[in-house]
Amino acid sequence: MQNLLFVDDENNYLKAMERMLHKQKALWNIFSAQSVDQALALTRTIAFDVIISDVNMPEKSGFDLLKSLQKARSTRTIPVIILTANSEGDLKRKALELGATDLLNKPVSYEDLVARITSALRLKSYQDELIYHNLSLETKVKERTLQLDHLHQDLIWRLAKAGELRDEETGDHVVRVGHYSRIIAQNLNLSQEEIDLIFLTAPLHDLGKIGIPDAILLKKNKLTKTEWTAMKTHCKIGADILLEKPKGMKAFYALKEEENPLPWIQDPLKTYAAIIAMTHHEKWDGSGYPGGLKKKEIPIQGRIVAFADVYDALRSKRPYKDACSAEHTWRTLEQAAGSHLDPDIFESIQTLQPEFESILARYNDL
Ligand code: C2E
Ligand code: SIN
Ligand code: SIN
Ligand code: FE
Ligand code: FE
């Protein structure tokens, strides 16, 4: 069962929502609150999987709710869908800025409501899986040696290349990100298995860009707010591609499922790849996306790839920007340490700048 919370000052509206969703009763526990304070009190005892909130309420507003949810670690990752009237363009923008996951127009249709809630619930369950797997991963990886044959490596490589195919000007970006990530991981004294896994899966960090339209991906200028919202979905699209249960392969998995209910998730390679896809744009100070995770809440794999990705993005030409010099890039990393990037990792890679540059020179098809 998943827990849903509706927040609205009008009791009639809450009742109407409950009636509307009565077919989902077997799957969804529906809670309601008539004020933001009441909603926040409920979050202290119940772990919600999604919150659907009105904006305008007599005391605290839906925006106050968003702000309060962002403050606590336990509530920060709950997806929030905000209900607004169609005409309220400014309110919509503000809601997204404050961390709303999605917006819905009032009056809301049954189909829209169920579709948006379902997609918010999927986001939440991926985040929960990633957090859970990140916690248990270290021991798991130590228990087994990495058994990778050439075919595995070859397929990962091809998947990464497919992801960057349309992103013409990024050249060998994904390859370089693998190499930078490897030397950073080495410097942090991770185990050889972890280093290998990061090297192999970091190139898949932007796999989800495959789902971003050309008009946005290849745009020569700054993105608009709406385009930016779409661009940010590349993290989850990537994780979805990597973690989704392979329905079409049911026959293949049928035997294994008896022993292991989640065979497609517990493979450390896909877990690493999905963690990296999902968390490479999280920022140390909590201002990143899609989870707004903070400091060590961000899996180490995501914190490492963030360095590699930003380094390479700064040193490369993009449709919307020129390349920066090595010196300027390093200064930018220094400034970003402690806000965007992990300051301890920055400390540990002080001697690596020449190696970064030689990777750039070696794997550069521009
Ligand atoms: P990307 O080009 O691979 O950039 C990866 C990350 O490197 C960016 O994540 C950002 O953290 C950093 N970065 C890139 N360029 C700069 C820069 O000039 N200055 C600084 N300080 N950092 C930089 P972010 O911002 O989350 O962007 C994710 C992706 O969104 C980018 O991947 C790119 O594909 C796209 N994107 C971002 N901004 C624009 C834009 O203005 N126009 C277009 N067309 N695409 C953009
Ligand atoms: C950009 O959007 O071009 C860079 C923003 C950032 O520094 O995160
Ligand atoms: C942002 O970093 O929030 C905006 C970046 C953009 O619009 O390209
Ligand atoms: Fe990315
Ligand atoms: Fe990237």
Side-chain angles (χ1 to χ4, degrees), residues 311-326:
Y311 189 87
D312 200 65
L314 290 170
R315 288 292 280 126
S316 312
K317 201 174 147 356
R318 290 281 196 263
Y320 57 94
K321 66 175 235 354
D322 284 327
C324 302
S325 69

Side-chain angles (χ1 to χ4, degrees), residues 180-191 194-195 198 296 300-301 303-305 307 342-349 352:
Y180 303 130
S181 299
R182 184 176 56 77
I183 61 174
I184 297 169
Q186 258 168 356
N187 248 259
L188 292 170
N189 293 320
L190 299 188
S191 72
E194 290 169 310
I195 296 168
I198 289 174
K296 304 254 159 121
I300 183 74
Q301 302 90 333
R303 279 181 276 140
I304 291 172
V305 174
F307 266 95
D342 180 341
D344 299 333
I345 296 184
F346 181 70
E347 225 24 71
S348 83
I349 61 170
L352 294 184

Side-chain angles (χ1 to χ4, degrees), residues 66-106:
L66 285 167
K67 284 181 209 156
S68 303
L69 292 170
Q70 289 294 328
K71 280 187 197 135
R73 181 185 174 152
S74 60
T75 53
R76 198 179 299 141
T77 55
I78 306 173
V80 182
I81 300 172
I82 293 287
L83 294 166
T84 57
N86 214 349
S87 53
E88 299 169 323
D90 283 348
L91 293 189
K92 291 181 181 176
R93 199 162 323 124
K94 186 157 177 219
L96 289 173
E97 274 167 18
L98 289 173
T101 309
D102 206 347
L103 302 166
L104 260 178
N105 287 328
K106 271 183 168 181

